[in-house]
Amino acid sequence: MPEPADPDPPDSPEEPEAEALPTLARTLASIVGVPLTSAGAVAVFTTDNQAGSVALVLVGALFLVMLVSGNPLQSLGHGNTQLRFALAKRRKKELERIEETPPEAAIERLAALRAVDPGASKDPWFIQISAQVYERLIERRITDALPSGGSAQFATLDEGFDLRLSIPRGDHVSVTIKFRPATSLVSVREIQRFIGMTSAVGKAIMVANVRLSQPAANALLQARENGIRAQFICWRDQQDDSELRSVVQQMTSG
């Protein structure tokens, strides 16, 4: 089950969404930004007015950022010195659309958003929606892999799993789905908890978008040697479909 942050992003006061800067405006930004930045850089070394020199560099840099990003500056704040661009509003609107999109298309749109807006990957709302999309996608993939007559239901909260797969002969397999940042690994603590949960229900599968750490892989191997019917699959994209299908069919066949 995805575990990133729960709260929805707070609604900000409605403001008209800024349009991307037209070519003329970007040209003017370059005409103003380049000389100001250059003048400020020279002044840092040739005058004693350091505050004025730095101000020139900063103002020029703002114009250059608008030139490169193609977005008009929406606001400039003190404190944490944050710059907020129209890009943030576009990201919010795109994430709202992705929430309503079928998982196969949603995961592609998330990848496209991350490519054009690298900062999105650190946005808590982006992470939360990515986890939700991943879970929906895995649910659909697992349902498609079930044998004829099989079904998948949401597990109850007290079971600690996400899905409960039912097989015609009365057998059950539990499934837990984990979404983690791409640079992380499933920890040995997580896999030990999964092993304990599996021993209570009989058979279980963990599906995650990242691989096991080596200690976690060792712990799972030892548990399986001791008779625990637990399986792990790292699913990242459709190239992993065949392995996921194989694990589901193996666990539901006997």
Side-chain angles (χ1 to χ4, degrees):
M1 175 184 291
E3 297 164 8
D6 1 354
D8 290 333
D11 292 332
S12 53
E14 287 297 323
E15 299 174 21
E17 182 178 359
E19 298 294 332
L21 286 174
T23 304
L24 177 60
R26 296 180 71 171
T27 302
L28 290 174
S30 69
I31 292 172
V32 176
V34 172
L36 281 178
T37 306
S38 302
V42 171
V44 166
F45 299 101
T46 59
T47 72
D48 295 327
N49 185 359
Q50 296 299 306
S53 303
V54 171
L56 282 174
V57 173
L58 288 176
V59 173
L62 291 181
F63 280 100
L64 292 180
V65 169
M66 287 192 286
L67 165 67
V68 173
S69 69
N71 294 297
L73 182 63
Q74 291 287 85
S75 67
L76 171 61
H78 294 293
N80 293 331
T81 318
Q82 292 182 331
L83 299 178
R84 183 163 55 89
F85 292 95
L87 183 59
K89 286 192 172 183
R90 294 202 187 100
R91 179 194 303 170
K92 180 176 183 293
K93 283 188 174 293
E94 177 63 8
L95 289 174
E96 288 172 348
R97 296 188 189 101
I98 288 172
E99 277 190 300
E100 306 301 323
T101 303
E104 287 81 1
I107 203 165
E108 293 180 2
R109 292 182 70 163
L110 284 167
L113 177 58
R114 188 169 54 243
V116 300
D117 179 11
S121 59
K122 297 179 182 178
D123 184 329
W125 195 21
F126 179 93
I127 295 170
Q128 179 179 333
I129 291 177
S130 297
Q132 292 170 355
V133 168
Y134 183 80
E135 182 172 359
R136 287 161 50 205
L137 192 60
I138 296 304
E139 288 167 6
R140 183 169 294 189
R141 289 292 204 276
I142 287 177
T143 301
D144 290 344
L146 286 171
S148 177
S151 63
Q153 301 88 29
F154 291 109
T156 59
L157 289 176
D158 58 335
E159 291 178 325
F161 290 94
D162 298 300
L163 294 175
R164 192 167 189 254
L165 310 181
S166 299
I167 314 304
R169 63 176 178 276
D171 202 2
H172 298 285
V173 180
S174 297
V175 179
T176 185
I177 303 169
K178 300 289 183 183
F179 180 87
R180 294 290 181 269
T183 54
S184 66
L185 297 170
V186 177
S187 69
V188 66
R189 179 178 297 182
E190 287 178 296
I191 211 69
Q192 286 171 340
R193 181 171 180 270
F194 169 64
I195 291 167
M197 291 163 54
T198 303
S199 64
V201 298
K203 294 192 289 186
I205 303 168
M206 177 187 284
V207 184
N209 65 314
V210 296
R211 299 196 177 280
L212 297 173
S213 67
Q214 191 57 52
N218 293 341
L220 181 60
L221 178 61
Q222 183 176 359
R224 292 174 61 184
E225 289 175 348
N226 291 335
I228 302 295
R229 303 190 69 180
Q231 288 278 8
F232 173 84
I233 171 71
C234 175
W235 191 97
R236 289 176 176 163
D237 54 40
Q238 60 186 10
Q239 295 182 4
D240 300 314
D241 278 349
S242 60
E243 187 176 356
L244 178 62
R245 180 177 294 274
S246 173
V247 168
V248 170
Q249 291 178 347
Q250 174 189 343
M251 293 292 278
T252 55
S253 63

